[in-house]
Amino acid sequence: MNFRRITKGVVSTLSLYSLVIMQIVFAPVTGNFNAAAQDNSDAPAAIIYDNGQFQTGATSKSGVAAPSGAQWSEVQNFAGDLTNANTSAGLTCNQGGFRAADNFVVPVGETWTINSVPTFAYLTGGTATTPFTAATLRIWRGRPGDAGSTVIFGDTTTNRLASSTDTNSFRIFNTVAPSPGSPPGTTRRIWQNTLTVAPALALTTGDYWVDWATTVNSNPATAHFCPNTTIVDTRYTPIMNARQFNVATSAWVDAVDTGNPAAAIDLPQDFPFKLDGTKSGARTVPYSRKIDLGGDNRTDYTLTRNMSGAKIWFTNDNATGTTSGVQFGSTGDVNVPEDYNGDGRTDIAVWRAGTFAFFYILQSGTNTFRAEQFGQTGDDPTVIGDYDGDGRADPAVYRAGTGGSAGIFFYRASTSTASGNITRFAFGAAGDKPYPGDFDGDGRFDFSVIRNNGGNAQIFQQNSTAGFSVTNFGLFTDRFVTGDFDGDYRNDLAVIRDDGGVLRWFVNTSTSSQSLVLQYGTTATDTPTPGDYDGDSRTDFGVFRNTGVFFNFGTLSAPRQRSFGQSGDTPAAAYLVH
């Protein structure tokens, strides 16, 4: 499969994190792989979606205070890297010249009714009175410029500007990188332009895009700019994928920051915008596989250590940094932490094979012990999940097929009407590997296996709602990841490949069927640890380095690290990778 590259090259390391530099590519998926703190300025009362912040604080990186009560919106560099920074303060979005576009995802089972779309722009040298006099808006199903994408609302002529309000923020270039940086100023005042959607538009599950253009001082020819989504200490996040339309050439192009200096790596960008409206059918916190012992919807830093034949679980709370530990299990046990009692917190658990196999569970709500006899020696217990749709993990194993026999999934339902009943589902063939997850978003785990097809991987799925499917994705030797990277309540197809000493992540998002490729981590030292570390209900990229450091890169936060653990420890999140 060919990918269109948007980087100038691969930089060897990030100075702060000593990780191989992230390299990101977006392209439609067509076949196998062979060899992404919120601003609340002047927000309407019913904001149901926020595509990211642009304010970066009341003090610049160089230490200069913004005017009283105001904030800067400072172009960023990666933390610790004073050699390179983003170079773009914004992209042109004047009516008749250019249009800005970015996407949002409506999750499975939800309906979003959109009343208005707040967007953001600035006019260099503008005054304290808004210069914005008009705006146009369109909403697409699918990515603008792609075959099959269609406009479902709006046009490029109707004025939909309802209001233009001062955010009391000023766009500035990076004040420290590259040295000596640029002094901050107040010539780029950012305005929130609220664009009306009338009549209100109801949207069901899918990948949607908004595109807009604005006019200043009633003159469409006057150039002005949409600021990039800006998160302190990072030049981008893995899901950034905005686009810009050039009216003169009638062409859509990806919004990319070419970096300062010119040798800096090119990186994709997003635009800040919001959606004002209502949601229905929303699941508060859907069941998901992540190590969240604290119950705050964020993955905690958790690992196990073998000491004198016993397994010790250590957890460093994501929010507070508080460390706790408990002895549970033996050295040979398989880690299977999940939310078995449905209280929104991960339970510490292990599976032990022997004459009889058992799930041993330390229930988080009551701190009580529970034993479930289930499975036999040779089974794979890492397929645990919510198969009956009651919000609780069910004890489950996969028994590989041999010779001409099929593989078999076994699970014990936890629903009150079926509690204790064991379901047996034959699926797969000898040599197949299980790939657990909820791929159709109905709240129930599906039966899914990976088959070797001449070195490539074929994924066979019997989905509980969507039915049977076969998908070509990745190589059979890849490690397959359970995760929801686009936040639509469906597991995405995702693999990690050992590629010349680095870990390369491939994700096929379930909503848009676009491919995201990210180089993150090294083969020799890092264990993949996917999870939701920033609490946005989307899976983040993560690794545990054997020197005792967790690294993760989310969708709403800068790359971060947490020193915790030591060489020889096993991160609990590793069981999400098969």
Side-chain angles (χ1 to χ4, degrees), residues 167-352:
T167 68
N168 205 17
S169 308
F170 299 94
R171 190 67 169 161
I172 59 175
F173 293 100
N174 196 291
T175 59
V176 296
S179 181
S182 302
T186 57
T187 60
R188 302 177 188 88
R189 184 184 296 271
I190 300 173
W191 297 84
Q192 175 178 291
N193 298 312
T194 299
L195 283 54
T196 299
V197 178
L201 181 65
L203 303 174
T204 56
T205 302
D207 180 47
Y208 298 92
W209 287 70
V210 291
D211 88 82
W212 67 92
T214 43
T215 299
V216 297
N217 300 325
S218 301
N219 185 357
T222 302
H224 53 276
F225 308 90
C226 292
N228 304 338
T229 298
T230 309
I231 300 171
V232 174
D233 289 338
T234 187
R235 291 182 55 201
Y236 85 118
T237 67
I239 65 165
M240 287 186 172
N241 61 346
R243 310 206 86 194
Q244 186 186 39
F245 183 71
N246 186 326
V247 174
T249 62
S250 191
W252 284 100
V253 296
D254 294 336
V256 175
D257 190 291
T258 58
N260 183 17
I265 193 170
D266 298 355
L267 292 171
Q269 300 295 294
D270 258 5
F271 296 119
F273 72 90
K274 303 179 183 182
L275 300 177
D276 174 66
T278 59
K279 290 183 181 181
S280 61
R283 288 182 267 182
T284 52
V285 180
Y287 173 86
S288 62
R289 302 185 87 189
K290 60 186 172 190
I291 313 300
D292 177 17
L293 278 73
D296 62 356
N297 199 35
R298 291 189 291 179
T299 295
D300 296 311
Y301 302 93
T302 303
L303 47 82
T304 61
R305 184 176 303 164
N306 296 325
M307 299 178 64
S308 302
K311 191 184 291 282
I312 312 297
W313 295 70
F314 294 99
T315 296
N316 186 264
D317 186 83
N318 188 316
T320 66
T322 302
T323 297
S324 59
V326 62
Q327 179 179 326
F328 196 82
S330 300
T331 301
D333 295 342
V334 179
N335 294 343
V336 287
E338 276 291 348
D339 181 11
Y340 292 90
N341 56 8
D343 65 352
R345 299 166 58 190
T346 301
D347 305 312
I348 291 173
V350 298
W351 183 78
R352 183 176 302 168

Side-chain angles (χ1 to χ4, degrees), residues 98-146:
F98 296 88
R99 302 187 68 83
D102 215 331
N103 78 316
F104 62 94
V105 172
V106 178
V108 172
E110 294 189 9
T111 297
W112 292 10
T113 301
I114 312 302
N115 298 321
S116 64
V117 181
T119 64
F120 301 88
Y122 66 87
L123 171 67
T124 302
T127 66
T129 302
T130 181
F132 292 93
T133 55
T136 59
L137 171 71
R138 293 186 296 185
I139 298 178
W140 297 67
R141 189 176 186 102
R143 191 175 78 149
D146 287 356

Side-chain angles (χ1 to χ4, degrees), residues 6-7 22-26 236-240 268 516-518:
I6 60 173
T7 56
M22 287 69 70
Q23 188 176 4
I24 190 168
V25 182
F26 289 93
Y236 85 118
T237 67
I239 65 165
M240 287 186 172
L516 185 156
V517 183
L518 183 69

